[in-house]
Amino acid sequence: MFKKKGDQIFAPAAGTVMALADVPDPVFASGAVGEGFAVEPTEGNFVSPVDGELILLAKTLHAFAVRTDAGAEILVHIGMDTVKLKGEGFTAHRAKGEMVKQGELVISCDLAAMTPLVPSMVTPVLLTNGKDFSIAESNVAAAAGTPVITVRKK
C-alpha cells in the first residue's frame, strides 16, 4: 500500500566516517561480515546507530547489535582485535533486550588507554542480515548528526 522510506543508520561515535573498504582488517573490509561503513572514533562513547532492540551485547563488550522495528540488524564492532581485551576497559550502559533510541549510550571506554593495546579502534557498522535487507542509500561524507546509510527490506 505504501513504501517505507527505510531505516536511517547514524554513526555510533564521534569521529571520521569511512568506507568499509578502508577498514584495516581484511574480513571487515571485504564485506564478509556484512555491508556498511566504519568510524575512526575521536572519543570513547558508542551510541546506538538506530532505534530498536539491543539484541546483542558481547560478553567482552567489544560489540553490540540493534534490531530495528522493520527487522534490520545493525552490528557495531568497536575496534580491531578488541575481543582479546576480554572486556577490560569497556563499560556497558545498557543490557541485552532493552529498547534503545538512536544516540543513546550503549558502551563507553577510555579511548586513549585502549588505542595502544589493539591494532586499530576503527569501528565497523554493519548490516548483518543482508539477505533480507539492502543498503538503499549511502553517504560516507555525512556530516555529524546525519544518517550515513539507509537500509530497506528487500
Side-chain angles (χ1 to χ4, degrees):
M1 193 160 104
F2 59 92
K3 185 103 170 134
K4 187 171 192 276
K5 190 174 177 186
D7 289 314
Q8 295 181 320
I9 314 302
F10 292 77
T16 305
V17 175
M18 64 177 67
L20 202 56
D22 296 332
V23 171
D25 179 279
V27 175
F28 287 114
S30 71
V33 183
E35 290 183 85
F37 64 96
V39 178
E40 174 81 58
T42 54
E43 61 181 48
N45 289 329
F46 296 88
V47 303
S48 180
V50 69
D51 294 350
E53 179 186 357
L54 193 58
I55 59 168
L56 168 76
L57 185 62
K59 287 180 187 169
T60 52
L61 303 180
H62 74 287
F64 64 92
V66 180
R67 182 187 304 120
T68 68
D69 287 344
E73 296 176 357
I74 308 300
L75 173 71
V76 177
H77 190 282
I78 302 167
M80 300 294 117
D81 295 340
T82 46
V83 68
K84 293 177 183 173
L85 299 175
K86 298 182 175 148
E88 194 162 323
F90 291 107
T91 302
H93 298 274
R94 303 304 295 260
K96 180 181 173 186
E98 287 186 9
M99 298 304 289
V100 291
K101 293 281 187 198
Q102 186 273 317
E104 289 183 343
L105 185 62
V106 178
I107 294 175
S108 61
C109 68
D110 181 341
L111 196 63
M114 296 182 88
T115 298
L117 304 176
V118 295
S120 172
M121 285 303 289
V122 167
T123 299
V125 181
L126 307 166
L127 171 66
T128 57
N129 58 343
K131 66 185 185 319
D132 300 320
F133 288 81
S134 62
I135 295 176
E137 296 172 32
S138 179
N139 179 12
V140 294
T146 60
V148 179
I149 60 174
T150 300
V151 298
R152 290 193 184 110
K153 197 163 185 66
K154 287 184 176 175

